[in-house]
Amino acid sequence: MSLIATDSHSQIKIATFNLFNFIAPPDAFYEFDNIYTQEQWLKKLNWIEKYLNEHQPDVIGFQEVFSPIELEALTKRCGLGYFSVLDSPQVVDGFIYSKPVVALASRYPIKEAVSVKADKLFSEKMGLSEGFEFSRSPLRATIELPKLGLCDCYVVHFKSKRPLFSIDEFAASSAETVSSLHHTEHNTGQALAVEVLGQWGSSIQRGSEAVLLRYAMVSRRSETQQPAILMGDFNDLLSDGVLAGLTSVDTRIKPQTILGLGAIGRVEHQLAHYRLKDGYELYQEGKYSLSGQARAATHYYFAKGSVLDYILLSSEFDPKNDLSLAEVSRYETYDRHLINPRFETDSQSTDHAPVMVTLSIRE
């Protein structure tokens, strides 16, 4: 096994960061009165800048971006000279913003950046509505990393668990049904049923986004053979059935049927080449892992913590792969502001914990 390199470019840090309503005043997020004061805004900028300067990520994906110009200026101050954002948030009434976008900043050159689109043919095959799209378009940035060369880095923010629709939204299209919800003795139960329907609608959207993105990533990888990194706010547990398609290796493909018995090993190698693995699991499986270290939550709903933010890596970062180029030597969840917040420093931080992996490159 080759040794880990020791020069200044031997390690690359990859991070994902949900900024939580990053919007410069006097613009508002979602409602007309959600506007930061200048003091609050500067406090938020300082918190983000402090994280970037302390942890020094080389590539970082951002979610909940309403003000990309201000974010680009901030990241460049922190030594991240390259920046990409392709979509624009939705604007209502001139200053009220909704549907934030994703962005990426890098210390190394971004050679290409595109918005990933859902494949129309397979969307229809899956039974999705005509014109199905991601709730927030994923960003793919091809970055020239030291020693690794070109690498495709994807930033995502999958659909949240918030119900896809509510009774009030449903009223406009079905007044008769909604009337029965509000005026019968069963209205409470029916209202709950509509909420469950809305939540399942969100699950369908989120799960569909995950598998369509995986298809897009496999298609790209088959064309370029470049390493791939997927980072972002998944808004669900990776182990949940809705998102399992991102990392699943269960298959009914029978190599001996396709290519004969002698090709089994070759096909299994090809399947491994196209899979993604959780950066945390790669860290735990590697020689750098600290035994007994529990995985920290990246988000809390009341007192319940969940891991919603992930970094997934292609086979080039799996030490069990004979052709691996690097391995995960560190996994960090920055959660002090979530588990022990201090108002004077953390009041304008974020409701997520940034996650970062350190990749140690092999010689």
mmCIF file of all heavy atoms in Angstrom, residues 304-329:
data_model
loop_
_atom_site.group_PDB
_atom_site.id
_atom_site.type_symbol
_atom_site.label_atom_id
_atom_site.label_comp_id
_atom_site.label_asym_id
_atom_site.label_seq_id
_atom_site.Cartn_x
_atom_site.Cartn_y
_atom_site.Cartn_z
ATOM 1 N N LYS A 304 -34.389 16.558 19.527
ATOM 2 C CA LYS A 304 -34.011 15.398 18.728
ATOM 3 C C LYS A 304 -33.020 15.787 17.647
ATOM 4 O O LYS A 304 -33.286 16.635 16.805
ATOM 5 C CB LYS A 304 -35.247 14.766 18.088
ATOM 6 C CG LYS A 304 -34.927 13.503 17.294
ATOM 7 C CD LYS A 304 -36.180 12.896 16.681
ATOM 8 C CE LYS A 304 -35.848 11.647 15.887
ATOM 9 N NZ LYS A 304 -37.052 11.055 15.250
ATOM 10 N N GLY A 305 -31.873 15.124 17.667
ATOM 11 C CA GLY A 305 -30.853 15.404 16.673
ATOM 12 C C GLY A 305 -30.872 14.416 15.526
ATOM 13 O O GLY A 305 -31.185 13.234 15.710
ATOM 14 N N SER A 306 -30.549 14.894 14.318
ATOM 15 C CA SER A 306 -30.497 14.049 13.127
ATOM 16 C C SER A 306 -29.301 14.456 12.277
ATOM 17 O O SER A 306 -28.857 15.609 12.317
ATOM 18 C CB SER A 306 -31.776 14.197 12.295
ATOM 19 O OG SER A 306 -32.925 13.849 13.032
ATOM 20 N N VAL A 307 -28.806 13.510 11.502
ATOM 21 C CA VAL A 307 -27.760 13.818 10.525
ATOM 22 C C VAL A 307 -28.442 14.063 9.186
ATOM 23 O O VAL A 307 -28.988 13.150 8.582
ATOM 24 C CB VAL A 307 -26.746 12.664 10.405
ATOM 25 C CG1 VAL A 307 -25.678 13.021 9.367
ATOM 26 C CG2 VAL A 307 -26.103 12.369 11.745
ATOM 27 N N LEU A 308 -28.442 15.317 8.744
ATOM 28 C CA LEU A 308 -29.077 15.697 7.487
ATOM 29 C C LEU A 308 -28.064 16.149 6.439
ATOM 30 O O LEU A 308 -28.404 16.240 5.263
ATOM 31 C CB LEU A 308 -30.095 16.822 7.717
ATOM 32 C CG LEU A 308 -31.220 16.553 8.729
ATOM 33 C CD1 LEU A 308 -32.156 17.753 8.790
ATOM 34 C CD2 LEU A 308 -31.990 15.288 8.388
ATOM 35 N N ASP A 309 -26.845 16.449 6.877
ATOM 36 C CA ASP A 309 -25.826 17.019 5.991
ATOM 37 C C ASP A 309 -24.735 15.979 5.752
ATOM 38 O O ASP A 309 -24.159 15.426 6.698
ATOM 39 C CB ASP A 309 -25.232 18.281 6.611
ATOM 40 C CG ASP A 309 -26.311 19.308 6.924
ATOM 41 O OD1 ASP A 309 -26.967 19.169 7.986
ATOM 42 O OD2 ASP A 309 -26.511 20.221 6.112
ATOM 43 N N TYR A 310 -24.428 15.745 4.476
ATOM 44 C CA TYR A 310 -23.543 14.637 4.112
ATOM 45 C C TYR A 310 -22.526 15.053 3.055
ATOM 46 O O TYR A 310 -22.750 15.990 2.280
ATOM 47 C CB TYR A 310 -24.352 13.465 3.549
ATOM 48 C CG TYR A 310 -25.283 12.808 4.541
ATOM 49 C CD1 TYR A 310 -26.588 13.272 4.711
ATOM 50 C CD2 TYR A 310 -24.866 11.723 5.302
ATOM 51 C CE1 TYR A 310 -27.448 12.672 5.622
ATOM 52 C CE2 TYR A 310 -25.720 11.111 6.211
ATOM 53 C CZ TYR A 310 -27.006 11.587 6.366
ATOM 54 O OH TYR A 310 -27.855 10.990 7.267
ATOM 55 N N ILE A 311 -21.434 14.278 3.010
ATOM 56 C CA ILE A 311 -20.466 14.340 1.926
ATOM 57 C C ILE A 311 -20.254 12.908 1.448
ATOM 58 O O ILE A 311 -19.790 12.053 2.214
ATOM 59 C CB ILE A 311 -19.138 14.968 2.378
ATOM 60 C CG1 ILE A 311 -19.365 16.400 2.877
ATOM 61 C CG2 ILE A 311 -18.118 14.957 1.223
ATOM 62 C CD1 ILE A 311 -18.136 17.044 3.487
ATOM 63 N N LEU A 312 -20.636 12.626 0.196
ATOM 64 C CA LEU A 312 -20.481 11.299 -0.386
ATOM 65 C C LEU A 312 -19.336 11.320 -1.389
ATOM 66 O O LEU A 312 -19.131 12.319 -2.089
ATOM 67 C CB LEU A 312 -21.773 10.857 -1.083
ATOM 68 C CG LEU A 312 -23.068 10.903 -0.266
ATOM 69 C CD1 LEU A 312 -24.217 10.287 -1.070
ATOM 70 C CD2 LEU A 312 -22.914 10.218 1.075
ATOM 71 N N LEU A 313 -18.614 10.214 -1.462
ATOM 72 C CA LEU A 313 -17.390 10.165 -2.262
ATOM 73 C C LEU A 313 -17.381 8.956 -3.180
ATOM 74 O O LEU A 313 -17.883 7.881 -2.827
ATOM 75 C CB LEU A 313 -16.176 10.102 -1.334
ATOM 76 C CG LEU A 313 -16.055 11.260 -0.321
ATOM 77 C CD1 LEU A 313 -15.092 10.889 0.794
ATOM 78 C CD2 LEU A 313 -15.594 12.525 -1.008
ATOM 79 N N SER A 314 -16.768 9.117 -4.334
ATOM 80 C CA SER A 314 -16.649 8.016 -5.292
ATOM 81 C C SER A 314 -15.514 7.083 -4.878
ATOM 82 O O SER A 314 -14.796 7.319 -3.895
ATOM 83 C CB SER A 314 -16.426 8.564 -6.703
ATOM 84 O OG SER A 314 -15.230 9.309 -6.765
ATOM 85 N N SER A 315 -15.335 6.021 -5.636
ATOM 86 C CA SER A 315 -14.412 4.947 -5.254
ATOM 87 C C SER A 315 -12.956 5.386 -5.175
ATOM 88 O O SER A 315 -12.144 4.715 -4.541
ATOM 89 C CB SER A 315 -14.548 3.783 -6.238
ATOM 90 O OG SER A 315 -14.247 4.202 -7.562
ATOM 91 N N GLU A 316 -12.600 6.499 -5.791
ATOM 92 C CA GLU A 316 -11.218 6.992 -5.710
ATOM 93 C C GLU A 316 -10.811 7.356 -4.284
ATOM 94 O O GLU A 316 -9.623 7.506 -3.983
ATOM 95 C CB GLU A 316 -11.028 8.223 -6.608
ATOM 96 C CG GLU A 316 -10.964 7.923 -8.093
ATOM 97 C CD GLU A 316 -12.330 7.784 -8.743
ATOM 98 O OE1 GLU A 316 -13.355 7.898 -8.032
ATOM 99 O OE2 GLU A 316 -12.376 7.578 -9.968
ATOM 100 N N PHE A 317 -11.804 7.512 -3.383
ATOM 101 C CA PHE A 317 -11.524 7.907 -2.006
ATOM 102 C C PHE A 317 -11.776 6.765 -1.015
ATOM 103 O O PHE A 317 -11.824 6.988 0.196
ATOM 104 C CB PHE A 317 -12.380 9.126 -1.654
ATOM 105 C CG PHE A 317 -12.237 10.245 -2.639
ATOM 106 C CD1 PHE A 317 -13.200 10.472 -3.618
ATOM 107 C CD2 PHE A 317 -11.113 11.063 -2.628
ATOM 108 C CE1 PHE A 317 -13.059 11.492 -4.552
ATOM 109 C CE2 PHE A 317 -10.961 12.081 -3.559
ATOM 110 C CZ PHE A 317 -11.935 12.294 -4.525
ATOM 111 N N ASP A 318 -11.927 5.570 -1.544
ATOM 112 C CA ASP A 318 -12.167 4.378 -0.730
ATOM 113 C C ASP A 318 -10.873 3.579 -0.637
ATOM 114 O O ASP A 318 -10.409 3.036 -1.641
ATOM 115 C CB ASP A 318 -13.269 3.527 -1.360
ATOM 116 C CG ASP A 318 -13.654 2.333 -0.511
ATOM 117 O OD1 ASP A 318 -12.953 2.057 0.482
ATOM 118 O OD2 ASP A 318 -14.663 1.683 -0.841
ATOM 119 N N PRO A 319 -10.255 3.484 0.543
ATOM 120 C CA PRO A 319 -8.969 2.779 0.644
ATOM 121 C C PRO A 319 -9.057 1.293 0.303
ATOM 122 O O PRO A 319 -8.033 0.661 0.032
ATOM 123 C CB PRO A 319 -8.565 2.989 2.111
ATOM 124 C CG PRO A 319 -9.834 3.315 2.827
ATOM 125 C CD PRO A 319 -10.689 4.042 1.831
ATOM 126 N N LYS A 320 -10.269 0.730 0.308
ATOM 127 C CA LYS A 320 -10.426 -0.675 -0.061
ATOM 128 C C LYS A 320 -10.333 -0.881 -1.578
ATOM 129 O O LYS A 320 -10.220 -2.003 -2.053
ATOM 130 C CB LYS A 320 -11.766 -1.198 0.448
ATOM 131 C CG LYS A 320 -11.851 -1.259 1.970
ATOM 132 C CD LYS A 320 -13.193 -1.793 2.422
ATOM 133 C CE LYS A 320 -13.254 -1.862 3.953
ATOM 134 N NZ LYS A 320 -14.568 -2.358 4.430
ATOM 135 N N ASN A 321 -10.392 0.220 -2.300
ATOM 136 C CA ASN A 321 -10.264 0.157 -3.753
ATOM 137 C C ASN A 321 -8.776 0.182 -4.131
ATOM 138 O O ASN A 321 -8.043 1.081 -3.724
ATOM 139 C CB ASN A 321 -10.994 1.359 -4.372
ATOM 140 C CG ASN A 321 -10.830 1.454 -5.873
ATOM 141 O OD1 ASN A 321 -10.394 0.504 -6.530
ATOM 142 N ND2 ASN A 321 -11.147 2.598 -6.427
ATOM 143 N N ASP A 322 -8.348 -0.787 -4.906
ATOM 144 C CA ASP A 322 -6.930 -0.887 -5.272
ATOM 145 C C ASP A 322 -6.442 0.342 -6.033
ATOM 146 O O ASP A 322 -5.243 0.633 -6.044
ATOM 147 C CB ASP A 322 -6.688 -2.137 -6.130
ATOM 148 C CG ASP A 322 -6.883 -3.421 -5.347
ATOM 149 O OD1 ASP A 322 -6.797 -3.367 -4.108
ATOM 150 O OD2 ASP A 322 -7.143 -4.469 -5.976
ATOM 151 N N LEU A 323 -7.365 1.064 -6.677
ATOM 152 C CA LEU A 323 -6.990 2.229 -7.474
ATOM 153 C C LEU A 323 -7.313 3.549 -6.768
ATOM 154 O O LEU A 323 -7.378 4.595 -7.401
ATOM 155 C CB LEU A 323 -7.708 2.174 -8.833
ATOM 156 C CG LEU A 323 -7.412 0.944 -9.694
ATOM 157 C CD1 LEU A 323 -8.227 0.993 -10.985
ATOM 158 C CD2 LEU A 323 -5.923 0.824 -10.005
ATOM 159 N N SER A 324 -7.499 3.512 -5.455
ATOM 160 C CA SER A 324 -7.854 4.736 -4.735
ATOM 161 C C SER A 324 -6.731 5.763 -4.810
ATOM 162 O O SER A 324 -5.545 5.421 -4.816
ATOM 163 C CB SER A 324 -8.180 4.426 -3.275
ATOM 164 O OG SER A 324 -7.027 4.001 -2.579
ATOM 165 N N LEU A 325 -7.134 7.020 -4.859
ATOM 166 C CA LEU A 325 -6.179 8.128 -4.959
ATOM 167 C C LEU A 325 -5.978 8.843 -3.631
ATOM 168 O O LEU A 325 -4.969 9.527 -3.429
ATOM 169 C CB LEU A 325 -6.680 9.144 -5.995
ATOM 170 C CG LEU A 325 -6.921 8.615 -7.408
ATOM 171 C CD1 LEU A 325 -7.526 9.703 -8.280
ATOM 172 C CD2 LEU A 325 -5.626 8.086 -8.010
ATOM 173 N N ALA A 326 -6.967 8.704 -2.737
ATOM 174 C CA ALA A 326 -6.916 9.401 -1.452
ATOM 175 C C ALA A 326 -7.831 8.683 -0.479
ATOM 176 O O ALA A 326 -8.627 7.819 -0.869
ATOM 177 C CB ALA A 326 -7.342 10.867 -1.612
ATOM 178 N N GLU A 327 -7.718 9.051 0.795
ATOM 179 C CA GLU A 327 -8.618 8.480 1.786
ATOM 180 C C GLU A 327 -9.028 9.545 2.806
ATOM 181 O O GLU A 327 -8.356 10.578 2.950
ATOM 182 C CB GLU A 327 -7.992 7.290 2.482
ATOM 183 C CG GLU A 327 -6.713 7.570 3.222
ATOM 184 C CD GLU A 327 -6.123 6.296 3.814
ATOM 185 O OE1 GLU A 327 -6.749 5.722 4.732
ATOM 186 O OE2 GLU A 327 -5.054 5.863 3.351
ATOM 187 N N VAL A 328 -10.127 9.284 3.492
ATOM 188 C CA VAL A 328 -10.643 10.242 4.463
ATOM 189 C C VAL A 328 -9.849 10.107 5.759
ATOM 190 O O VAL A 328 -9.939 9.095 6.455
ATOM 191 C CB VAL A 328 -12.147 10.007 4.732
ATOM 192 C CG1 VAL A 328 -12.653 11.019 5.758
ATOM 193 C CG2 VAL A 328 -12.947 10.107 3.440
ATOM 194 N N SER A 329 -9.072 11.128 6.070
ATOM 195 C CA SER A 329 -8.239 11.091 7.274
ATOM 196 C C SER A 329 -8.841 11.869 8.436
ATOM 197 O O SER A 329 -8.361 11.768 9.574
ATOM 198 C CB SER A 329 -6.837 11.632 6.967
ATOM 199 O OG SER A 329 -6.910 12.959 6.470
#
